[in-house]
Amino acid sequence: MSIGEMVKKLSEFQTLTAKSAMVNPKLTVLNVELAQVEDEIEKLLNTLTGANAVLLSYANGKIEELDAETISPQKIEFLSAHLGNWENIDFDDRRQVTDIILSQIQATSDRVSFEWKI
């Protein structure tokens, strides 16, 4: 995977700026989805009063699943900074970036394909 592919994918989520700030529609949609996920997590937490161990285990799994589906503006900033400086960041930072944006990489002798988290 080239840095160009990652930068291109991330650029879909960045806010464009000129003389006045322009909102990226994809970022707006993601912010709405983030708010919905946070609301669902809040509802789950509110129902846990007096819950038994099985229900708590289920709720923890559901919260982790919901949390994994979101990408916060802070993560976008982190990714932008690291992708913009890709040649100078260390291996651990590169691995952290790819862990955030990729769920799977498939490589054969003929081709390489990526499954994006974002």
Side-chain angles (χ1 to χ4, degrees):
M1 170 175 32
S2 71
I3 184 69
E5 290 177 72
M6 290 189 292
V7 170
K8 181 180 175 187
K9 185 67 176 177
L10 184 61
S11 69
E12 297 174 15
F13 301 96
Q14 291 179 316
T15 302
L16 304 175
T17 57
K19 287 187 177 183
S20 62
M22 298 176 64
V23 177
N24 183 326
K26 287 187 179 187
L27 188 56
T28 302
V29 169
L30 287 175
N31 282 329
V32 169
E33 289 175 5
L34 176 61
Q36 291 170 340
V37 168
E38 287 175 347
D39 185 53
E40 192 169 339
I41 289 172
E42 184 66 28
K43 287 177 185 174
L44 280 169
L45 291 174
N46 289 337
T47 62
L48 294 179
T49 304
N52 64 30
V54 173
L55 181 57
L56 287 173
S57 175
Y58 168 78
N60 283 334
K62 184 66 174 173
I63 289 169
E64 288 174 10
E65 177 185 318
L66 290 168
D67 192 44
E69 293 177 6
T70 63
I71 183 165
S72 69
Q74 294 82 10
K75 280 186 182 177
I76 291 173
E77 287 180 34
F78 170 84
L79 293 171
S80 294
H82 281 71
L83 290 173
N85 194 27
W86 190 258
E87 298 302 320
N88 299 318
I89 63 173
D90 64 23
F91 179 77
D92 287 332
D93 287 337
R94 288 179 181 193
R95 184 177 58 215
Q96 191 174 9
V97 167
T98 55
D99 284 345
I100 292 170
I101 63 175
L102 295 174
S103 61
Q104 189 175 52
I105 300 172
Q106 295 179 352
T108 66
S109 59
D110 298 326
R111 69 184 189 97
V112 176
S113 64
F114 308 100
E115 187 174 310
W116 299 95
K117 288 183 184 176
I118 59 176

